[in-house]
C-alpha cells in the first residue's frame, strides 16, 4: 500500500508547481510516509524538526485564539506548510516562491491519502 | 481572558475525537511517546488502609492541578525536553512502515484523469471523419456573430473586446471617424455603414 500512496502523492506533486516534498508524520515528528526530490535538505526530516511542529501548534493554541490548523514558514530557499490533521501532521515542502495559496489546498487534495495512512497506522 | 477566548473559540473538549481518543494519544500503543515531566508517585505498595488511599488521592489531585497548570503555560524552552530518544524514534518509524506494508489496498482518487484539461482524443481517425458535421444553423450563427463584430469595429472604430483601445478612447461614440476612413477595409466598412443607416 505504501507504494500506491507514494505514487498518488507524486502525482499531486507533479500537478502542483513548486512542490518539492511531502511528509506525513505523527505528532512526535516520526515520518510515516515521505516523498521528496533531491533538492529538499535532509535536515527537514530530522526528528527534532518535525516534532517541533506539533509542539509549536500546542503552544500556539494557548494564545487564546483557538487551535492552529496549519503553520507556514518561508525560508531562504524553501517554504514549509504544516497541516495539523490529527493525529497526523502533513508537511508540504515547496520552493520559496511557490504559490502558497495553491499549497494550502493540498490538505484537501491529499485527504484520501491521509485517511488511508491514519487507518493503516492506528 | 482565557475564559472569554474559550467561549469565543470553543471549549478544549472539542479537540477530543468522537471515539474517545485524545489528539495527544500516541498512535502506537506500548511505545512511550514523550518523557513525562511529572511522574505519578511510586512506591507505597507496602502500606494499606484508608489513610494511604486518601494520601494517594490528594497527591494525584495535586499532580493533576500541577499538570494542568503546566500545560497552560507557553513554554518554548521546553522544546528540547520534548525530543525523542534515537532508538525510540527508529522503533516507531519501523513500526509505522510495517503497519503500512501490511495494510490492505485502498481506494484513492484517480488524479491523473481529474487534472486533464485537454484529454487525448481516443476516437480513431475513421470514426472521427465519419461523425456528422456541425449543423448549418450553428455555422450561420457563428458567421453572423463575426459579421456583427466587424460591423461594430469598423463603424465605431474600436473593438468591443479590446480593453486597451476602449481605455484610450474612453469607449464612447466620440471615436466615430465618419465615412472618410481610408483603411484597407474601407469599401467593406462603407458598405456596412450604408447598410446600417438604411436599416435605421
Amino acid at each position: 500500500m505504501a507504494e500506491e500512496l507514494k505514487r498518488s502523492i507524486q502525482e499531486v506533486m507533479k500537478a502542483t508547481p513548486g512542490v518539492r516534498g511531502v511528509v506525513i508524520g505523527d505528532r512526535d515528528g516520526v515520518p510515516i510516509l515521505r516523498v521528496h526530490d533531491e533538492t529538499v535538505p535532509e535536515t527537514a526530516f530530522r526528528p527534532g524538526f518535525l516534532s517541533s511542529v506539533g509542539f509549536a501548534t500546542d503552544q500556539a493554541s494557548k494564545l487564546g485564539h483557538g487551535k492552529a490548523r496549519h503553520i507556514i514558514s518561508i525560508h531562504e530557499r524553501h517554504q514549509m506548510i504544516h497541516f495539523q490533521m490529527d493525529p497526523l501532521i502533513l508537511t508540504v515542502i515547496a520552493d520559496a516562491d511557490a504559490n502558497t495559496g495553491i499549497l494550502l489546498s493540498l490538505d484537501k487534495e491529499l485527504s484520501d491519502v491521509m485517511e488511508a495512512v491514519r487507518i493503516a497506522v492506528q | 481572558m482565557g475564559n472569554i477566548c474559550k467561549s469565543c473559540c470553543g471549549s478544549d473538549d472539542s479537540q477530543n475525537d468522537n471515539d474517545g481518543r485524545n489528539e495527544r494519544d500516541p498512535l502506537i500503543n506500548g511505545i512511550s511517546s514523550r518523557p513525562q515531566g511529572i511522574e505519578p508517585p511510586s512506591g507505597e505498595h507496602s502500606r494499606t488502609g484508608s489513610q494511604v488511599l486518601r494520601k494517594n488521592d490528594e497527591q494525584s489531585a495535586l499532580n493533576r492541578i500541577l499538570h494542568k497548570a503546566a500545560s497552560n503555560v507557553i513554554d518554548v524552552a521546553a522544546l528540547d525536553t520534548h525530543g525523542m530518544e534515537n532508538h525510540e524514534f527508529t522503533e516507531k518509524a519501523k513500526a509505522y512502515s510495517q503497519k503500512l506494508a501490511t495494510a490492505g489496498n485502498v481506494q484513492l482518487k484517480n488524479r491523473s484523469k481529474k487534472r486533464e484539461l485537454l484529454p487525448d482524443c481516443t476516437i480513431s481517425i475513421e470514426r472521427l471523419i465519419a461523425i456528422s458535421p456541425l449543423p448549418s444553423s450553428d455555422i450561420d450563427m457563428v458567421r453572423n456573430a463575426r459579421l456583427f463584430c466587424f460591423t461594430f469595429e469598423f463603424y465605431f472604430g474600436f473593438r468591443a473586446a479590446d480593453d486597451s483601445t476602449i481605455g484610450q478612447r474612453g469607449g464612447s461614440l466620440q471615436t466615430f471617424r465618419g465615412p472618410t476612413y481610408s483603411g484597407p477595409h474601407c469599401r467593406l466598412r462603407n458598405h456596412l455603414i450604408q447598410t446600417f443607416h438604411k436599416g435605421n
Side-chain angles (χ1 to χ4, degrees):
Chain A
M1 185 177 108
E3 288 305 314
E4 200 180 341
L5 294 173
K6 280 185 181 178
R7 212 175 306 123
S8 198
I9 292 172
Q10 273 166 352
E11 279 170 9
V12 172
M13 283 172 63
K14 270 186 215 164
T16 315
V19 177
R20 297 294 176 191
V22 171
V23 184
I24 299 172
D26 69 357
R27 289 182 58 82
D28 293 328
V30 182
I32 299 169
L33 198 68
R34 65 184 205 186
V35 182
H36 61 95
D37 63 14
E38 68 281 355
T39 61
V40 179
E42 197 59 30
T43 49
F45 308 111
R46 280 187 189 164
F49 181 79
L50 290 174
S51 66
S52 65
V53 179
F55 179 74
T57 315
D58 284 346
Q59 301 297 313
S61 63
K62 293 175 191 172
L63 294 171
H65 301 155
K67 195 177 162 192
R69 284 164 53 205
H70 46 252
I71 294 178
I72 304 169
S73 57
I74 303 180
H75 306 274
E76 195 178 342
R77 285 170 54 197
H78 293 97
Q79 63 175 299
M80 310 194 77
I81 301 181
H82 307 279
F83 296 94
Q84 190 77 29
M85 300 169 82
D86 290 325
L88 303 172
I89 290 176
L90 169 67
T91 303
V92 176
I93 304 159
D95 291 334
D97 57 352
N99 189 324
T100 311
I102 291 175
L103 300 180
L104 284 173
S105 67
L106 287 185
D107 61 335
K108 287 186 186 71
E109 184 61 36
L110 289 168
S111 58
D112 57 335
V113 176
M114 295 296 287
E115 184 62 16
V117 172
R118 191 185 67 81
I119 291 168
V121 298
Q122 261 187 345
Chain B
M1 185 182 165
N3 289 334
I4 297 168
C5 291
K6 198 177 273 187
S7 64
C8 294
C9 306
S11 154
D12 289 342
D13 295 340
S14 61
Q15 294 176 0
N16 292 345
D17 292 335
N18 292 332
D19 56 357
R21 286 182 66 92
N22 191 291
E23 61 179 14
R24 290 177 180 80
D25 288 347
L27 282 169
I28 298 174
N29 293 327
I31 301 171
S32 63
S33 61
R34 289 173 183 174
Q36 296 293 320
I38 301 155
E39 295 290 340
S42 58
E44 307 283 351
H45 294 300
S46 56
R47 297 183 196 172
T48 53
S50 62
Q51 196 178 0
V52 177
L53 283 173
R54 200 173 59 195
K55 194 179 175 186
N56 277 344
D57 285 348
E58 284 173 2
Q59 192 66 36
S60 61
L62 278 172
N63 279 336
R64 263 204 314 276
I65 292 165
L66 192 60
H67 192 74
K68 195 178 171 187
S71 66
N72 285 334
V73 171
I74 298 175
D75 185 10
V76 178
L79 178 61
D80 295 336
T81 63
H82 277 70
M84 291 174 70
E85 296 292 331
N86 266 344
H87 69 89
E88 224 177 312
F89 184 84
T90 49
E91 203 176 335
K92 275 188 95 173
K94 268 184 194 172
Y96 284 142
S97 60
Q98 279 172 4
K99 284 198 171 197
L100 272 186
T102 54
N105 286 335
V106 285
Q107 283 288 340
L108 298 173
K109 292 178 198 170
N110 194 346
R111 296 190 161 84
S112 56
K113 278 192 178 176
K114 188 185 166 189
R115 296 212 164 195
E116 275 180 0
L117 292 175
L118 293 171
D120 291 335
C121 183
T122 54
I123 307 170
S124 64
I125 295 173
E126 291 79 12
R127 281 187 60 197
L128 198 64
I129 293 169
I131 290 173
S132 58
L134 280 175
S136 59
S137 59
D138 286 358
I139 296 170
D140 286 345
M141 190 187 76
V142 174
R143 280 182 180 152
N144 289 337
R146 281 186 62 204
L147 186 64
F148 173 77
C149 290
F150 274 123
T151 309
F152 192 86
E153 182 186 347
F154 282 107
Y155 191 77
F156 294 115
F158 62 88
R159 283 171 195 260
D162 190 348
D163 291 339
S164 61
T165 315
I166 291 172
Q168 283 169 8
R169 300 183 185 182
S172 68
L173 293 181
Q174 291 172 358
T175 53
F176 174 66
R177 295 180 184 173
T180 55
Y181 178 76
S182 57
H185 305 290
C186 60
R187 284 176 60 191
L188 173 63
R189 179 176 177 274
N190 289 337
H191 170 72
L192 289 172
I193 291 170
Q194 283 167 13
T195 312
F196 181 76
H197 283 301
K198 275 179 191 171
N200 284 344

